[in-house]
Amino acid sequence: MLSVVNGVKALRFQQSIGTCKRTLYSRLRDTSEFVTLKSASKLRTVSAPAYISSPNSKLQSVIWHRPLQNVLITKKPWADNTRKAMVDFITHLHDSYPEINVLVVPDVAEEIAQDFVKNPQSNPGEPHVLYTGEIEDIVDKVDLLVTLGGDGTILRGTSLFANSQVPPVLAFSLGTLGFLLPFNFKNHKAVFEQVMNSRAKCLHRTRLECHIIRRGTDSLEKRPAPHHAMNDIFIHRGNSPHLTNLDIYIDGEYLTRTTADGVTLATPTGSTAYSLSAGGSIVSPLVPSILLTPICPRSLSFRPLILPHSSHIKIKIGSKPLQGPDNKVVKLSIDGVPLEDLNVGDEIHVVNEVGTIYVDGSELPSTKNSDNAKQRGQSTKNSGIYCIAKTENDWTRGLNELLGFNSSFRFTSRKDN
């Protein structure tokens, strides 16, 4: 499995958006008979649903007090099956729910615009209307996020809402398997009707919040916005021949210095991703926790840890005396996206997005300011990601169907020649 998109991918992503903004509208106006684009900034602001718990269910009901109206659809890029599925899905929405506004990012609008072959049945005299624009214009309008593809498509879609509330996520599988993909696309009409009519259930998944503090940086204004991870935060040595030296603190208390290829901090959702490959535990998304898993540690006594979700984890980049410059740079990736390298003396602070209990002396620098602390407290309301679920047993079924959990050895007969 695979927080705004960062690193090289972010640069390419923003460049594509800028290019599309200058040329996309005019190009489609000239070449696409059945599609017209409008600015997402003209839509109403987001209408978030209520998430209602029940004593008889581990899932929550998704209830719309204001009608669902703005739907953002994302897809696996440049894949024929997902492109066709997106056109089919948008066509169904425009035919059956003309009140629904469909939003797409600019590069997707350009990719699919030529695939529409007729006007919507609900309004045959007008073309299909797609809303797009800058990412900041889109995220403030989205009531529901629909993803078409695999787990990576969900990670990319939710990363657009890096520092804001993620709308409920409806994920469809298109020939791929993943723990986040409960619905087959062939059932998209019935499933969307359930969501639209407040008859759907959802599973709450937490996100991790990662604060990067550079060595010698004391000013809060100079610090970048936090990054968010649905799956994991990975600190690793990259292509360096040397192991990393990382000092790890839990709630202000020194835990250990590890010499290893790196460490992974994962959510329960990410427990079946890289953490699992490194020997970490499989954790249900219903368990409030943070996983700390070492990657190939030199010490065999450094075992994976499952920490309370209220923990504040600090990792400081260290080095050994007399080591060369190759050992002073450490790589950082969040949900598979590379960020800027870390150097000796830099720190990352990882907390759960839904809120953290700070032990005296272990606060994040941003929480020491009362205004920032108040703002953070308000932003944690309904934090995390609410994923539309199929049944109460999606996770257990995934263990068997995707991982072959506790499968026996298979013996095949062999005939000697």
Side-chain angles (χ1 to χ4, degrees):
M1 292 183 197
L2 290 182
S3 195
V4 170
V5 179
N6 302 288
V8 175
K9 292 185 179 179
L11 179 59
R12 293 175 179 172
F13 188 70
Q14 295 297 337
Q15 287 175 342
S16 69
I17 291 174
T19 301
C20 287
K21 182 181 178 182
R22 292 190 298 270
T23 64
L24 182 58
Y25 290 89
S26 60
R27 181 161 63 249
L28 290 184
R29 187 167 55 247
D30 296 335
T31 61
S32 181
E33 176 184 357
F34 302 107
V35 173
T36 186
L37 295 185
K38 293 185 178 181
S39 173
S41 62
K42 299 179 180 179
L43 298 174
R44 77 175 191 191
T45 56
V46 62
S47 177
Y51 303 104
I52 309 301
S53 299
S54 168
N56 301 318
S57 175
K58 297 178 181 179
L59 304 177
Q60 295 170 284
S61 298
V62 184
I63 307 297
W64 302 94
H65 294 305
R66 292 177 62 190
L68 167 62
Q69 186 169 341
N70 301 334
V71 177
L72 172 63
I73 307 177
T74 63
K75 60 181 286 297
K76 182 179 180 180
W78 302 108
D80 291 340
N81 64 328
T82 57
R83 187 169 64 248
K84 181 181 183 303
M86 176 173 270
V87 172
D88 291 345
F89 189 73
I90 293 174
T91 300
H92 170 65
L93 294 185
H94 286 164
D95 287 345
S96 304
Y97 307 96
E99 70 277 19
I100 293 291
N101 301 313
V102 175
L103 295 89
V104 293
V105 296
D107 55 339
V108 171
E110 183 176 19
E111 180 183 350
I112 68 172
Q114 310 305 323
D115 292 339
F116 289 88
V117 295
K118 61 180 180 179
N119 292 332
Q121 295 176 4
S122 61
N123 193 0
E126 296 294 333
H128 294 273
V129 177
L130 302 179
Y131 291 87
T132 189
E134 300 283 0
I135 296 302
E136 56 267 25
D137 294 330
I138 293 177
V139 297
D140 291 337
K141 312 296 183 181
V142 180
D143 301 337
L144 176 71
L145 171 63
V146 176
T147 68
L148 308 173
D151 285 348
T153 307
I154 301 176
L155 295 178
R156 286 190 295 271
T158 57
S159 72
L160 299 175
F161 304 83
N163 293 297
S164 59
Q165 173 64 45
V166 181
V169 179
L170 173 58
F172 289 105
S173 169
L174 284 103
T176 56
L177 296 176
F179 274 89
L180 304 177
L181 302 169
F183 298 106
N184 191 303
F185 183 74
K186 67 181 182 181
N187 301 317
H188 67 275
K189 295 181 180 180
V191 173
F192 184 82
E193 182 183 13
Q194 289 182 333
V195 176
M196 183 81 178
N197 295 325
S198 297
R199 292 189 286 111
K201 300 281 189 177
C202 69
L203 174 66
H204 181 248
R205 299 177 182 271
T206 59
R207 288 197 301 181
L208 295 181
E209 190 175 283
C210 178
H211 298 254
I212 302 174
I213 300 178
R214 300 291 177 178
R215 179 182 180 182
T217 302
D218 297 323
S219 173
L220 293 176
E221 289 75 15
K222 295 182 179 179
R223 290 176 185 154
H227 304 276
H228 292 79
M230 184 177 182
N231 258 3
D232 47 35
I233 298 165
F234 179 32
I235 304 175
H236 58 104
R237 65 174 181 169
N239 59 2
S240 170
H242 304 287
L243 300 178
T244 61
N245 296 283
L246 307 173
D247 293 325
I248 303 175
Y249 299 78
I250 308 295
D251 293 326
E253 183 75 18
Y254 176 76
L255 175 67
T256 188
R257 163 170 282 201
T258 178
T259 301
D261 280 356
V263 297
T264 290
L265 299 169
T267 64
T269 296
S271 69
T272 50
Y274 195 12
S275 175
L276 176 62
S277 300
S281 297
I282 301 174
V283 180
S284 166
L286 294 172
V287 179
S289 58
I290 302 175
L291 285 71
L292 193 161
T293 306
I295 311 297
C296 298
R298 187 174 64 183
S299 171
L300 297 181
S301 63
F302 189 178
R303 311 307 301 163
L305 300 176
I306 300 177
L307 303 171
H309 77 291
S310 59
S311 299
H312 167 207
I313 304 167
K314 181 178 81 171
I315 298 181
K316 185 174 183 179
I317 311 304
S319 68
K320 287 187 175 181
L322 304 179
Q323 285 185 329
D326 288 343
N327 198 42
K328 298 185 182 297
V329 176
V330 176
K331 303 294 183 179
L332 173 65
S333 300
I334 295 182
D335 279 350
V337 179
L339 273 65
E340 188 175 349
D341 293 346
L342 300 174
N343 297 284
V344 172
D346 291 345
E347 302 174 358
I348 69 164
H349 294 249
V350 177
V351 295
N352 196 308
E353 187 189 31
V354 299
T356 298
I357 299 174
Y358 293 101
V359 179
D360 290 343
S362 71
E363 297 89 348
L364 280 173
S366 61
T367 64
K368 296 179 181 179
N369 181 291
S370 59
D371 293 336
N372 289 336
K374 182 178 179 180
Q375 183 178 3
R376 173 176 169 77
Q378 294 173 344
S379 67
T380 58
K381 182 180 179 181
N382 285 342
S383 294
I385 302 173
Y386 292 83
C387 297
I388 306 299
K390 187 176 181 180
T391 69
E392 303 268 355
N393 300 315
D394 289 351
W395 183 74
T396 304
R397 187 177 296 113
L399 290 182
N400 289 318
E401 295 179 356
L402 299 177
L403 295 183
F405 186 74
N406 197 30
S407 297
S408 301
F409 289 107
R410 295 182 179 180
F411 297 95
T412 58
S413 61
R414 177 181 177 182
K415 295 181 179 180
D416 294 330
N417 294 327

